[in-house]
Amino acid sequence: MSFLKRTLLIIALIIGIIIDLMIIPYTRAFLIMRGVTFYESKTYAQDITVSFAPKDWLGWFPQMILFTDKGGFQQQVGEEAQLDIYYTFGQFHRGKSDIYRPNSPYYSSFAGAYVVSGQEADRMNQLQGSDFIREVSQIPRYDYTQLILRDLGCPRDRLQFDYHLISSDDEATCAGETGYDVFNLSVDTSGVAHEKEKNLQHYIQFGTPLPIDDNQAFQPLTQFARVYVKRLPDQHATLIFYCLSPDQGVIELTDQKLLQTAEVHQLHKSYSADDK
């Protein structure tokens, strides 16, 4: 076999392997979302970054994806703001994320971090009590209702995210650092199960939904949430860690395995759970 034929055969094999990998929903999601995260981290200025490298990803997709909101949150709050969203979702089984499975503890579940910077963070950091909780809740509400439910085709009248405070503590620790407020919430919202639409962008990362009747789409759902919040006035920023799930056991394990082991990098300083 000539060198040219051998080279062409190798190229064809490589192309074939890539095509095969991209057909597999989990592999496609992993490769594409890794590329998205790399692009976002290199394109948008981020004075504060967060990294996750847990020893056990539990039932989560084993990657923390970064998305920088392109002005939607700023338009909603009416203040200058950059919102960086770190998130993961339910792991894949049989080609579909557990985010679609109503009987899974990871149904409609997300975990990760938010970094809010700019005038909105300055305003938020000055608030206290119920006003502070209300303002903080605007972030996961925007994320879940506008960036997830709406983009999956949820009707406007089901874009709800109503929280109820269960408990709070203003002396909490997260990611190896003190100085956090923590809020435990119940949230009345809508689940993401729905009848498949054509070519929705979210299908790249979540896979396509399980078959259901259209009248069962986006049904009411009670979730639980744990939210850690740290005010960073010197950086004109607010740092938030979160987990949202219908299963309180998932909340507890995710707090322990993912949130508490995260690392936060602030300009020339970083800290993690391993710091003394």
Side-chain angles (χ1 to χ4, degrees), residues 89-90 97-102 104 106-110 143-145 147-155 158-159 189-197 200 202-203 206-210 212-213 216-221 223 244 246:
F89 47 86
S97 169
D98 282 345
I99 196 173
Y100 292 128
R101 303 180 194 278
S104 169
Y106 292 87
Y107 177 55
S108 302
S109 298
F110 292 89
D143 184 14
Y144 190 74
T145 63
L147 302 183
I148 300 299
L149 288 177
R150 187 191 65 179
D151 287 356
L152 286 173
C154 181
R158 296 190 183 180
L159 296 177
T189 184
S190 297
V192 302
H194 64 282
E195 190 174 26
K196 180 183 175 182
E197 301 282 348
L200 293 184
H202 277 320
Y203 294 167
F206 303 145
T208 54
L210 295 164
I212 63 167
D213 293 334
Q216 295 298 310
F218 304 110
Q219 288 294 296
L221 175 68
Q223 300 261 56
L244 177 71

Side-chain angles (χ1 to χ4, degrees), residues 38-217:
F38 178 80
Y39 173 81
E40 296 279 331
S41 67
K42 299 300 181 182
T43 303
Y44 298 95
Q46 293 145 341
D47 292 336
I48 299 170
T49 60
V50 184
S51 58
F52 295 82
K55 295 179 181 179
D56 184 355
W57 281 93
L58 304 171
W60 298 105
F61 181 67
Q63 183 182 145
M64 195 61 68
I65 301 161
L66 170 62
F67 171 77
T68 298
D69 184 64
K70 312 305 188 297
F73 180 69
Q74 176 173 285
Q75 184 177 9
Q76 176 172 295
V77 298
E79 298 277 1
E80 182 270 326
Q82 176 168 310
L83 174 61
D84 300 322
I85 303 172
Y86 296 83
Y87 69 97
T88 187
F89 47 86
Q91 179 59 294
F92 278 74
H93 292 99
R94 299 186 297 279
K96 302 178 187 297
S97 169
D98 282 345
I99 196 173
Y100 292 128
R101 303 180 194 278
N103 62 348
S104 169
Y106 292 87
Y107 177 55
S108 302
S109 298
F110 292 89
Y114 301 113
V115 181
V116 186
S117 55
Q119 294 175 0
E120 170 62 11
D122 290 338
R123 186 171 70 86
M124 188 185 311
N125 290 341
Q126 295 176 6
L127 299 175
Q128 301 294 331
S130 60
D131 291 337
F132 183 56
I133 300 172
R134 188 180 307 110
E135 196 66 25
V136 168
S137 74
Q138 293 297 318
I139 299 163
R141 174 183 286 113
Y142 168 78
D143 184 14
Y144 190 74
T145 63
Q146 301 303 307
L147 302 183
I148 300 299
L149 288 177
R150 187 191 65 179
D151 287 356
L152 286 173
C154 181
R156 187 179 184 87
D157 62 351
R158 296 190 183 180
L159 296 177
Q160 62 171 339
F161 192 94
D162 300 322
Y163 73 90
H164 308 278
L165 179 64
I166 298 173
S167 64
S168 64
D169 187 351
D170 61 1
E171 297 182 350
T173 297
C174 192
E177 185 81 354
T178 59
Y180 284 83
D181 291 278
V182 61
F183 305 106
N184 291 300
L185 311 169
S186 65
V187 181
D188 294 326
T189 184
S190 297
V192 302
H194 64 282
E195 190 174 26
K196 180 183 175 182
E197 301 282 348
K198 291 184 178 179
N199 303 320
L200 293 184
Q201 187 173 354
H202 277 320
Y203 294 167
I204 295 173
Q205 57 182 331
F206 303 145
T208 54
L210 295 164
I212 63 167
D213 293 334
D214 190 45
N215 61 5
Q216 295 298 310

Side-chain angles (χ1 to χ4, degrees), residues 192-266:
V192 302
H194 64 282
E195 190 174 26
K196 180 183 175 182
E197 301 282 348
K198 291 184 178 179
N199 303 320
L200 293 184
Q201 187 173 354
H202 277 320
Y203 294 167
I204 295 173
Q205 57 182 331
F206 303 145
T208 54
L210 295 164
I212 63 167
D213 293 334
D214 190 45
N215 61 5
Q216 295 298 310
F218 304 110
Q219 288 294 296
L221 175 68
T222 297
Q223 300 261 56
F224 298 98
R226 179 162 298 164
V227 182
Y228 290 92
V229 188
K230 186 165 189 174
R231 308 165 201 252
L232 299 169
D234 291 344
Q235 286 82 16
H236 302 282
T238 308
L239 173 61
I240 300 168
F241 287 92
Y242 69 93
C243 180
L244 177 71
S245 170
D247 189 290
Q248 288 183 308
V250 168
I251 299 286
E252 296 297 336
L253 285 173
T254 301
D255 187 354
Q256 178 186 351
K257 300 291 187 179
L258 268 70
L259 307 188
Q260 297 298 336
T261 61
E263 294 188 8
V264 179
H265 310 274
Q266 298 183 48

Side-chain angles (χ1 to χ4, degrees), residues 27-40:
T27 307
R28 181 179 64 226
F30 192 91
L31 293 176
I32 291 178
M33 301 320 293
R34 177 62 61 87
V36 168
T37 296
F38 178 80
Y39 173 81
E40 296 279 331

